[in-house]
Amino acid sequence: MSDQLAAMAFARALAQRCDQRFGEKILGIYLIGSLAHGGFAPRYSDIDLALVVRDQLASDDLDVIRAEAAAESSRLAPLLSVFWADPDFRIGRFPPLDRADLIDHGVTLRERVRRRPSRPTLPQVRSYLRGEPLRNWCEQVAQFAAIETVAGEDHKRYLRALLYPRAFSTAGRAARSRRTTPRFPFSKAQSSISISI
């Protein structure tokens, strides 16, 4: 079974487990990101599970979802990234680019009530990208610039640090492409990057 098919089977089984565990609390369970786009690669990709819930998810609920994921597959569970929002997309963890991804590419795994966010505006996307994601990216770039070789466990973070500026260039469409980039040798880059926001 291919990595894409194995991850899809894992996501479907996890959605069923969540549906059984939480029942009516969950209005819909969806895939977004590279798995939904057909570009999943376990070395670099997350399994992005998006939930629309009746009111909110507590940290205990997220722990239950992670435990269910681990019970389903100890190999794929660490790749799980959970996004969630209430029916109006006012609370939760569901950034603007991921809301656009749900609108444009979301794969329905379970759905009691169909709810979709409004498309993020360009100012919303830019405001989001200028905040915590940019701060995190700057910190990661500084860390990677200071080392000679990237350790195996850091390949995913390194690739994301390289590709993050693309989010700025595609922000005008308020959507992103999370296709997997071909593998390449990892070594210290001999260039500097300057981005003006």
Side-chain angles (χ1 to χ4, degrees), residues 18-189:
C18 290
D19 192 47
Q20 291 170 348
R21 188 74 184 248
F22 293 101
E24 298 290 322
K25 182 173 187 163
I26 295 179
L27 302 179
I29 304 173
Y30 311 91
L31 280 177
I32 58 175
S34 60
L35 186 54
H37 301 186
F40 176 81
R43 185 172 181 182
Y44 302 113
S45 299
D46 291 331
I47 297 174
D48 296 321
L49 196 67
L51 289 82
V52 178
V53 297
R54 204 164 285 290
D55 47 30
Q56 67 179 10
L57 283 182
S59 61
D60 290 348
D61 295 331
L62 293 170
D63 290 342
V64 167
I65 293 169
R66 287 185 197 98
E68 292 290 346
E72 188 60 40
S73 171
S74 60
R75 181 178 69 89
L76 294 174
L79 303 179
L80 182 66
S81 182
V82 179
F83 298 85
W84 69 274
D86 70 328
D88 298 320
F89 290 81
R90 291 189 183 154
I91 61 169
R93 176 186 178 247
F94 223 124
L97 292 175
D98 298 295
R99 292 195 309 264
D101 195 18
L102 175 63
I103 293 166
D104 295 336
H105 306 288
V107 173
T108 302
L109 299 176
R110 292 273 196 268
E111 192 169 70
R112 283 186 175 77
V113 177
R114 184 172 179 82
R115 298 300 297 231
R116 290 292 184 271
S118 57
R119 180 169 298 283
T121 64
L122 181 57
Q124 288 171 329
V125 171
R126 285 183 174 157
S127 174
Y128 168 72
L129 290 174
R130 285 182 184 127
E132 186 178 347
L134 180 61
R135 284 190 298 278
N136 291 341
W137 178 77
C138 289
E139 289 171 11
Q140 286 187 7
V141 167
Q143 290 170 3
F144 286 122
I147 61 176
E148 292 296 323
T149 305
V150 177
E153 64 272 10
D154 289 330
H155 284 186
K156 186 175 182 176
R157 286 188 326 116
Y158 180 75
L159 181 65
R160 288 186 173 181
L162 288 175
L163 296 179
Y164 186 74
R166 183 160 191 250
F168 288 97
S169 67
T170 61
R173 289 180 282 146
R176 66 180 164 186
S177 171
R178 294 176 79 182
R179 279 184 239 160
T180 303
T181 302
R183 292 188 174 105
F184 54 91
F186 290 89
S187 63
K188 184 176 178 182

